[in-house]
Amino acid sequence: MNVFSSLVGQEHILRILQDAVAASCKDDESHEMTHAWVFTGPPGSGRSSAAVAFAQALICPNQGCGACNECQSAATGGHSDVEVIRTEGLSIKVEEIRELLTRVAWAPSMGGWRVVVMEDADRLTESAANALLKAIEEPGTRTVWLLCAPTLHDVLPTIRSRCRHLQLRTPSLEAVTNVLKNRDHIAPVMADFAARVSQGHIGRAKYLATNETVRTNRKTIMQLPLQLGSLAAAFQAAQTFVDLATTEANASSDERNQKEVEKLQKAYGKGATSRGMATGVNKAVKELEKEQKSRSTRMVRDSIDGALLDIATFYRDVMMVQSGSTELMTNTDMREQIESHAANSFSHSTINKINAIMEARANMALSVAPLVTIEALMCKLAIK
Ligand SMILES: [Zn+2]
């Protein structure tokens, strides 16, 4: 077991990363380290896990053993030479990058490398990207930048042209099932179900396999395409869809928000009565709540996007039945309903419906009000 064993189905990039780590240890000029990398891959392929594993290996004296202090503190965010930037908001602003650059301007404390992992490089604003560009281009630095994004097109051209690109793959159904069984000790039948309906998204698969409420919500969402008999029903389905996705997102953020506020109040000394302290803490809590609100917005969007992808698998299965191939059906638990839906509709209309779902996903990203977008979608799905 080393840090790279957490990468599932990514054998094609493993060698590149291990070679880079080996070369980075030799301090001679002929092995010049690449200072900026972009990890791309579909959601759930583990691009940020790959970047973090690489960061661990770069600072570990044993090239990523996974067991030493360096490896462990880097993974939990406690290593002074490894910084993992996770975005809570919808964009990364130039002020945040400037602040980051002053933090990483120091030489690495252990004398090796300083590594910055940026999980959502696609959320950099243009001015933030320009500020970052200067740092990436600086010669002779000991900082290595590991940027993550869904695709290379999501990274601004100026940045991506200076990075080495690694493309992660969607892990196979078998690979995900095995991880759930062997790493997370999930029962085989559940592991198989969760891996299949999560379409290679390991995090989502684990979440589904270990959370009954999430499974129940998914089931309700998957039944919606069968309940679109009238326009009124389509509007009702849209409301149910948005409510469920929002509740799921809020359930995970509410508890976290509360903890953060308590931690902040504690830092200020809870019950501080002097006027100065009270004003300070109130202001800080207000700032925090603003950030939390923007994070919640993002989580609701992610949750809606996940539910849209779930519904898309229904129509994909319908299309498969209509084209006569059912071996790769995702929702085998709904086989009967899918077959009956396929018999009562035309394949060209199924394709239109899948397109409509993809269009709704794109509209969501353009910050259209969720309910309006989903209502329009359900009306399209209701057409025979
Ligand atoms: Zn180690």
Side-chain angles (χ1 to χ4, degrees):
M1 286 289 276
N2 65 26
V3 292
F4 292 116
S5 46
S6 63
L7 304 190
V8 180
Q10 311 299 340
E11 290 74 19
H12 62 296
I13 62 160
L14 205 59
R15 188 63 194 274
I16 299 171
L17 293 176
Q18 284 171 330
D19 284 352
V21 172
S24 78
C25 301
K26 298 183 195 123
D27 228 355
D28 75 71
E29 310 256 306
S30 63
H31 288 99
E32 218 207 310
M33 178 68 186
T34 305
H35 286 274
W37 301 69
V38 181
F39 291 76
T40 63
S45 58
R47 45 182 193 253
S48 58
S49 315
V52 170
F54 188 32
Q56 288 173 288
L58 284 171
I59 53 139
C60 167
N62 310 308
Q63 305 187 7
C65 65
C68 71
N69 258 341
E70 312 293 317
C71 279
Q72 289 185 354
S73 58
T76 53
H79 197 290
S80 55
D81 289 340
V82 176
E83 180 138 11
V84 180
I85 312 292
R86 291 196 174 94
T87 322
E88 305 293 12
L90 293 168
S91 63
I92 306 176
K93 304 195 171 57
V94 65
E95 298 80 33
E96 293 169 63
I97 293 299
R98 288 206 188 109
E99 206 184 294
L100 169 70
L101 293 178
T102 47
R103 274 204 306 278
V104 302
W106 306 90
S109 64
M110 305 295 176
W113 300 99
R114 179 180 286 284
V115 191
V116 181
V117 176
M118 192 173 286
E119 284 196 350
D120 306 280
D122 51 314
R123 293 176 203 253
L124 284 164
T125 63
E126 198 166 338
S127 49
N130 285 332
L132 180 64
L133 189 63
K134 280 199 196 110
I136 289 180
E137 283 183 317
E138 206 165 295
T141 141
R142 302 294 294 175
T143 302
V144 179
W145 297 88
L146 309 179
L147 312 179
C148 308
T151 73
L152 208 48
H153 291 288
D154 296 316
V155 185
L156 287 166
T158 42
I159 298 267
R160 69 173 185 244
S161 64
R162 282 154 183 93
C163 294
R164 183 156 179 199
H165 176 214
L166 295 177
Q167 162 88 48
L168 276 77
R169 295 181 188 140
T170 299
S172 69
L173 181 62
E174 196 191 352
V176 178
T177 311
N178 285 338
V179 172
L180 294 181
K181 283 195 293 197
N182 303 334
R183 184 194 66 188
D184 303 322
H185 310 292
I186 287 161
V189 176
M190 180 59 83
D192 179 66
F193 162 77
R196 196 160 26 78
V197 303
S198 305
Q199 309 270 298
H201 192 311
I202 297 174
R204 173 81 184 159
K206 186 180 172 186
Y207 193 47
L208 259 176
T210 53
N211 193 322
E212 204 185 332
T213 315
V214 177
R215 286 199 297 277
T216 311
N217 286 350
R218 182 183 185 278
K219 210 167 177 182
T220 309
I221 297 247
M222 293 304 290
Q223 295 293 323
L224 295 179
L226 305 166
Q227 299 161 4
L228 301 173
S230 65
L231 273 187
F235 281 100
Q236 180 55 49
Q239 187 69 55
T240 308
F241 181 99
V242 173
D243 286 349
L244 277 180
T246 310
T247 314
E248 193 178 314
N250 288 346
S252 46
S253 62
D254 281 352
E255 194 186 338
R256 186 167 158 198
N257 289 354
Q258 186 55 32
K259 272 193 192 137
E260 283 172 350
V261 171
E262 278 166 17
K263 206 169 142 197
L264 186 74
Q265 283 171 332
K266 212 170 175 187
Y268 272 87
K270 204 172 182 179
T273 43
S274 82
R275 193 182 288 169
M277 282 294 271
T279 318
V281 70
N282 286 343
K283 197 175 160 218
V285 169
K286 275 219 176 80
E287 282 286 309
L288 177 65
E289 282 171 351
K290 209 169 112 193
E291 275 172 41
Q292 289 174 335
K293 204 168 166 227
S294 119
R295 180 176 65 202
S296 297
T297 308
R298 183 181 158 189
M299 285 175 75
V300 169
R301 266 163 212 285
D302 287 350
S303 176
I304 288 179
D305 194 54
L308 285 172
L309 285 172
D310 279 342
I311 288 210
T313 66
F314 174 88
Y315 291 102
R316 183 168 163 271
D317 286 346
V318 169
M319 197 166 70
M320 282 199 183
V321 173
Q322 286 170 332
S323 63
S325 67
T326 53
E327 312 88 76
L328 293 171
M329 188 184 263
T330 302
N331 303 289
T332 44
D333 53 324
M334 296 178 71
R335 187 179 288 273
E336 236 170 73
Q337 289 135 314
I338 286 166
E339 282 174 351
S340 132
H341 198 93
N344 292 308
S345 58
F346 297 105
S347 59
H348 64 86
S349 117
T350 311
I351 294 171
N352 286 344
K353 287 172 184 174
I354 295 175
N355 285 339
I357 296 171
M358 296 307 147
E359 205 182 306
R361 293 183 64 209
N363 286 342
M364 286 296 307
L366 296 171
S367 77
V368 175
L371 185 59
V372 177
T373 308
I374 303 301
E375 281 173 349
L377 172 65
M378 290 299 170
C379 290
K380 283 183 195 162
L381 298 182
I383 299 168
K384 274 233 160 168

